[in-house]
Amino acid sequence: MKIINPATEEVIIEIPEDNRQSVEQKFHQLQAAQPAWQQVSLAERAAILQQFAGLLEKNKEHLATILTSEVGKPLQQSRNEINGACTRIKWLVENAEKYLADETMFADAGLREKIVYEPLGVVCNISAWNYPYLVGVNVFVPALLAGNAVLYKPSEYAALTGLEIEKLLRKAGVPQHIFHIAIGAREVGKLLLELPFDGYFFTGSYKTGKYIYEKVAPKMVPCQCELGGKDPLYVADDIANIKAVAAGTADGAFYNNGQSCCAVERIYVHKNIYDEYIDAFIKEMQSWKIGLPTEEGVYIGPLSQEAQLDFLEQQVTDALQKGATLVTGGHRLNHKGYYFEPTVLTNVSHTMTVMKEESFGPVIGIMKVNNDEEAIQLMQDTEYGLTASVYTSNQPRAENILKQLNVGTGYWNCCDRVSAALPWSGRKHSGFGTTLSHAGLRTFTKPKAYHLRS
């Protein structure tokens, strides 16, 4: 399998892919080793995962360089991702005992009722390329903490990072046959769906998530899908600082080139501040440096995949044919690498794919609205339900809007952020299930009820 640098289009390295025999062998090794890992104390498992976080921190520059080389994100954003992963691991480790230990629910002289959180067994984690550390630790860290063995398939676009993760987990003390990785693309993923895992955890597109869910449904095991979004953001007319809001929301739309499931994908702005907001938004974009992701100060690097260039051009063309105005950008850059200009479209409508289908790139449509009611109606007009954001100086106004939206996460005066303490989940085509928070720790367990009468 060729690993290609999206900034230069050069082959970094060729690595061997897994096949049916190797995948089956790894599964059986995990299956044989998992019971012993389950017997290791939770405190010891937590110490090992904390050691893993320390190794991520210690090797951050090396890991960030590899991540940037294969996915194209600017070097500082790669460092930020590793920092964020360490923060999440810290929360998960520090709260594992609280949420995974046995719970006594009732006790008197003759009867005790308790819940025991047993591991699922051997779980399959098919992960994503856009944030391989962040979306990875959301799954394999709590899975390991809970006593599971894990077969981790990194995206073929982040395979080198997957190999580094495996190396550091082993160095931290995770036994050899408790965490394995499967290297390969779609065909290797299909092989994993044929094996009798005790749970499947996928991060990626709706189309692939639906395929996985349908394939594994007859197994009657947990299958959790964290899928895409078409995340809306509304800027109300009472915000105090239009320039600051424009800068923050532009970052929410274009950080990591918009290649994030919770990136802002469509913006609705109250008519009273619309023109001023657009001006401030464009000025913020003009301050960004575009270039090689290894250069310090670069904010916009290449997209991770060449095919996305055609998709974004099609969205822009569709919008223009239906009456949109191209304010800035709209084209791929004419040099080596998968670069696409940061793009803003106005005079957009929901007849355009840019306002309905996930862009997953540096393209945003900004639409003028007359009032909160119109904004709510448009924000609700989607098959997705991951996040939604409202900017206003009035918290009750924001919460009134957010509670009407069928999303897993609501933001007031912020966007495009994740907290380890809060559940991360989607609605509708954004998927189902939960990672992070106490619920995300327990996702990887089977609760067992005990009725103990003396």
Side-chain angles (χ1 to χ4, degrees):
M1 185 173 72
K2 293 180 179 179
I3 308 297
I4 297 173
N5 186 326
T8 64
E9 301 183 45
E10 296 171 350
V11 176
I12 301 171
I13 193 173
E14 293 189 35
I15 58 176
E17 288 188 69
D18 275 283
N19 54 35
R20 181 179 296 275
Q21 181 180 358
S22 65
V23 165
E24 289 179 352
Q25 181 183 32
K26 289 175 181 180
F27 171 78
H28 291 305
Q29 289 170 339
L30 292 166
Q31 199 173 42
Q34 187 273 328
W37 177 244
Q38 181 176 346
Q39 295 306 312
V40 173
S41 70
L42 179 55
E44 187 176 343
R45 295 198 299 263
I48 289 171
L49 272 301
Q50 187 60 61
Q51 175 73 6
F52 171 63
L55 291 171
L56 290 179
E57 175 63 34
K58 181 180 178 180
N59 295 278
K60 180 166 56 182
E61 284 303 310
H62 170 68
L63 300 173
T65 299
I66 290 174
L67 179 58
T68 289
S69 73
E70 64 179 344
V71 304
K73 69 174 62 185
L75 198 54
Q76 185 55 51
Q77 294 182 22
S78 291
R79 297 185 188 113
N80 294 346
E81 180 179 348
I82 295 166
N83 289 338
C86 292
T87 299
R88 289 189 194 178
I89 295 170
K90 182 175 186 290
W91 190 94
L92 291 164
V93 165
E94 290 178 351
N95 286 275
E97 179 70 26
K98 181 178 180 181
Y99 296 116
L100 295 178
D102 297 357
E103 285 187 292
T104 297
M105 308 305 292
F106 173 82
D108 65 11
L111 177 68
R112 188 159 73 97
E113 299 172 351
K114 72 174 183 176
I115 304 171
V116 172
Y117 294 97
E118 299 177 346
L120 296 174
V122 182
V123 300
C124 176
N125 178 201
I126 301 175
S127 200
W129 53 264
N130 58 329
Y131 285 99
Y133 285 102
L134 288 174
V135 300
V137 303
N138 285 3
V139 174
F140 64 71
V141 168
L144 291 169
L145 283 169
N148 297 282
V150 179
L151 189 79
Y152 173 69
K153 183 197 171 301
S155 165
E156 61 270 33
Y157 299 102
L160 300 182
T161 293
L163 290 167
E164 293 296 318
I165 287 171
E166 181 184 49
K167 185 190 305 180
L168 294 185
L169 282 169
R170 295 264 173 85
K171 191 172 182 180
V174 174
Q176 180 178 2
H177 296 316
I178 291 301
F179 184 92
H180 277 310
I181 68 169
I183 295 295
R186 181 179 302 173
E187 292 308 311
V188 172
K190 288 181 177 178
L191 291 175
L192 298 180
L193 304 184
E194 297 175 11
L195 293 169
F197 285 98
D198 300 301
Y200 290 83
F201 298 86
F202 170 71
T203 303
S205 70
Y206 164 73
K207 181 180 178 181
T208 304
K210 182 174 181 288
Y211 174 84
I212 290 172
Y213 187 50
E214 290 172 344
K215 284 291 183 181
V216 306
K219 300 177 191 286
M220 300 290 285
V221 297
C223 178
Q224 183 164 297
C225 296
E226 180 192 326
L227 309 178
K230 193 63 184 173
D231 301 10
L233 182 146
Y234 171 48
V235 185
D237 56 344
D238 64 346
I239 56 172
N241 188 331
I242 292 178
K243 182 179 178 182
V245 170
T249 53
D251 182 67
F254 291 102
Y255 188 84
N256 195 31
N257 242 336
Q259 298 170 125
S260 171
C261 56
C262 59
V264 176
E265 286 258 348
R266 49 197 173 107
I267 298 176
Y268 306 96
V269 183
H270 196 284
K271 63 181 181 181
N272 293 348
I273 60 165
Y274 179 82
D275 291 337
E276 189 176 351
Y277 174 86
I278 293 290
D279 289 343
F281 193 96
I282 298 302
K283 285 177 182 176
E284 174 64 21
M285 291 176 60
Q286 290 170 343
S287 71
W288 297 337
K289 182 179 179 181
I290 303 173
L292 287 172
T294 50
E295 294 179 4
E296 293 295 338
V298 166
Y299 181 80
I300 298 289
L303 294 166
S304 294
Q305 299 175 41
E306 184 178 15
Q308 195 67 7
L309 296 170
D310 291 333
F311 178 79
L312 295 176
E313 283 189 334
Q314 290 167 11
Q315 279 202 335
V316 172
T317 299
D318 172 77
L320 295 178
Q321 289 176 345
K322 293 174 180 175
T325 299
L326 181 62
V327 180
T328 186
H331 306 283
R332 65 181 78 195
L333 296 180
N334 189 26
H335 58 65
K336 280 284 187 182
Y338 310 145
Y339 289 87
F340 198 89
E341 298 172 319
T343 299
V344 173
L345 293 157
T346 59
N347 295 319
V348 289
S349 71
H350 279 215
T351 65
M352 304 169 187
T353 60
V354 74
M355 300 299 283
K356 299 287 285 183
E357 296 179 11
E358 187 175 27
S359 300
F360 224 68
V363 174
I364 193 76
I366 306 180
M367 190 171 177
K368 184 189 298 185
V369 296
N370 293 309
N371 48 47
D372 293 1
E373 290 70 30
E374 185 181 7
I376 292 167
Q377 181 181 10
L378 291 166
M379 294 170 86
Q380 289 173 327
D381 182 25
T382 179
E383 296 177 332
Y384 293 96
L386 192 60
T387 81
S389 312
V390 177
Y391 281 72
T392 170
S393 61
N394 186 318
Q395 183 175 349
R397 181 180 183 182
E399 292 196 39
N400 178 60
I401 294 170
L402 291 170
K403 73 181 182 182
Q404 298 180 60
L405 305 177
N406 189 19
V407 296
T409 295
Y411 300 116
W412 174 46
N413 290 343
C414 58
C415 58
D416 190 30
R417 71 183 303 273
V418 181
S419 167
L422 295 176
W424 189 249
S425 60
R427 313 273 180 88
K428 300 189 288 186
H429 285 189
S430 289
F432 48 85
T434 301
T435 54
L436 301 177
S437 78
H438 71 282
L441 279 164
R442 290 175 175 170
T443 286
F444 302 92
T445 68
K446 298 176 289 189
K448 179 179 284 184
Y450 281 82
H451 303 251
L452 306 172
R453 189 179 296 279
S454 60

